[in-house]
Amino acid sequence: MLELIGEWMVVSDPPAHTRLRRLAAGAFKGQRISAMGEQITALVDELVEAFTGGDLISEIAYPLPATVIAMMLGAPVADRDRFREWSDELALVAFGAGGDARAERHERALRGLREMDAYFRELIALRRREPGEDMLTALMAADGDPAAGDRLSDDELVSMCALLLFAGHETTTNSIANATLALLRHPDQLARLRADPELIAPAVEELLRFDGPIKVLNRWVVAETEIRGRRISPGERVHLVLASANRDPEKFADPDTLDLARRPNPQIAFGKGIHACIGAQLARMETRIAVARIVERLPGLALAAEPRWKPSLASRSLEQLRVEVTR
Ligand code: HEM
């Protein structure tokens, strides 16, 4: 597991990070992501149309992102459910969430990751023989960097696929679910969005600021540093609390107020600096399409039960989001 996760750009420093990020950049080109809009809308419509109330996470927010990643990587439709299982298994290790005993959790994760590893290797072999229009083919060709002749090895491609699945799944699920909950708890803002669907882009920025999917990032300190009178020293680990930065009264007027039209909105739910989220454009698009459709197509949407948050330090994640709708 460490071999797989240890290769991830998100836990690498330069120069390894610089190289991995450069080789992945082509796969995340603006046009490539924009071109996904129609397919994502069709997927969201399917999920929203079928929803008659119940847990909005298991029925809409959870299936969507893994399906989108499977689709982007060019995996056959029939295999998409497996992507969700693998993503859960990766989360068991990487986030350490859930009540399972540690050994059992690792056992389950390892089984899943072995299966995922074999699957991605087969898919890579297939795309080497038959290149497609998908993101995996773009990653292989290192679209971002045609001149240098550097390419990702098969091991690196497997690790990259796993990272994209992991980084893009639970985060996007939570972004959709937390946004929906915040709207339900602020009926004035929900009504405002219903009345003015054009507001969706700034609304999603504000919803990410207000209750974003990642609360905390970790860093090791490498140099003696002083921040607001506190010294931190090499070897220490610090928690960077994005959730707190996003409610900083020096940056945001009335930070605890949800204002869908807030401007400016320098929220940092996608991080900052060299590791800032490479999938932000995709995540924004998925969240905008999903939240817009939920608001538009689910009349009478109301909370059916008081939701509970999962006991996780890093991720801001609901157990369930039970709602009623009137069709
Ligand atoms: C709303 C959804 C999302 C949120 C809130 C989010 C948030 C973040 C944050 C905060 C980081 C920085 C991590 C750090 O500095 O340690 C990050 C990095 C990353 N994200 Fe996202 N993310 C989301 C969706 C996605 C999607 C959809 C993908 C891809 C399919 C993705 C891929 C990545 C990758 C590969 C990195 C590592 C970048 C690097 O290390 O240079 N994310 N994300």
Side-chain angles (χ1 to χ4, degrees):
M1 265 184 282
L2 266 180
E3 259 168 49
L4 180 89
I5 291 177
E7 294 264 341
W8 284 359
M9 71 173 104
V10 70
V11 293
S12 304
D13 285 329
H17 171 265
T18 322
R19 171 176 173 269
L20 290 170
R21 178 115 185 177
R22 192 184 65 223
L23 291 171
F28 283 93
K29 272 201 201 112
Q31 299 144 286
R32 179 179 290 281
I33 304 299
S34 310
M36 301 280 301
E38 251 173 63
Q39 274 174 294
I40 295 177
T41 305
L43 266 172
V44 169
D45 282 348
E46 218 176 280
L47 294 168
V48 172
E49 286 310 313
F51 186 67
T52 54
D55 181 16
L56 186 131
I57 296 181
S58 59
E59 306 291 322
I60 301 176
Y62 177 75
L64 178 69
T67 309
V68 169
I69 294 165
M71 199 165 82
M72 293 191 83
L73 288 173
V77 183
D79 297 331
R80 289 177 187 169
D81 285 347
R82 297 163 77 187
F83 275 69
R84 285 185 236 156
E85 289 163 21
W86 296 329
S87 157
D88 284 351
E89 279 143 10
L90 280 166
L92 286 177
V93 183
F95 277 153
D100 294 9
R102 209 179 152 86
E104 194 188 320
R105 198 166 80 196
H106 286 187
E107 189 75 17
R108 197 183 134 204
L110 188 59
R111 266 200 311 274
L113 297 195
R114 287 216 173 99
E115 195 188 303
M116 180 185 69
D117 185 277
Y119 181 89
F120 283 140
R121 274 178 211 282
E122 250 177 63
L123 195 60
I124 290 164
L126 174 70
R127 287 293 161 244
R128 289 221 190 275
R129 290 195 306 272
E130 298 169 23
E133 291 298 311
D134 51 274
M135 188 180 255
L136 182 57
T137 305
L139 283 169
M140 275 175 185
D143 274 7
D145 196 33
D150 187 12
R151 294 285 180 273
L152 293 165
S153 68
D154 280 11
D155 285 351
E156 288 174 328
L157 281 166
V158 170
S159 168
M160 184 75 80
C161 290
L163 169 60
L164 297 182
L165 175 60
F166 168 71
H169 188 201
E170 202 185 300
T171 45
T172 314
T173 295
N174 294 337
S175 147
I176 297 166
N178 299 359
T180 307
L181 177 63
L183 288 171
L184 288 170
R185 290 212 160 130
H186 297 81
D188 59 321
Q189 297 298 307
L190 177 57
R192 195 176 177 192
L193 184 57
R194 281 206 169 113
D196 180 10
E198 299 280 301
L199 203 59
I200 191 67
V204 164
E205 297 310 294
E206 175 67 349
L207 291 158
L208 283 164
R209 180 192 74 82
F210 191 76
D211 221 345
I214 299 183
K215 289 183 283 190
V216 174
L217 299 174
N218 296 310
R219 291 291 190 273
W220 294 102
V221 179
V222 294
E224 199 72 33
T225 309
E226 196 179 307
I227 300 175
R228 299 206 171 191
R230 288 281 296 269
R231 290 199 77 73
I232 51 173
S233 305
E236 283 185 296
R237 196 164 74 143
V238 290
H239 295 304
L240 308 177
V241 187
L242 298 183
S244 169
N246 274 335
R247 300 278 186 112
D248 182 351
E250 290 177 19
K251 289 276 178 192
F252 303 97
D254 299 323
D256 295 333
T257 301
L258 182 73
D259 171 8
L260 297 189
R262 182 182 288 275
R263 276 206 188 91
N265 191 345
Q267 58 85 8
I268 57 163
F270 292 112
K272 207 170 165 60
I274 61 168
H275 289 284
C277 183
I278 200 172
Q281 189 191 346
L282 174 63
R284 285 188 160 106
M285 188 159 81
E286 286 184 64
T287 308
R288 284 176 194 164
I289 296 173
V291 172
R293 287 298 213 253
I294 286 169
V295 164
E296 179 192 316
R297 302 271 172 90
L298 298 177
L301 185 69
L303 268 182
E306 194 49 36
R308 271 209 321 264
W309 298 100
K310 285 187 193 164
S312 160
L313 184 66
S315 91
R316 178 76 168 155
S317 185
L318 289 164
E319 306 259 11
Q320 289 191 330
L321 182 57
R322 302 200 71 79
V323 296
E324 291 162 359
V325 296
T326 43
R327 286 272 180 197

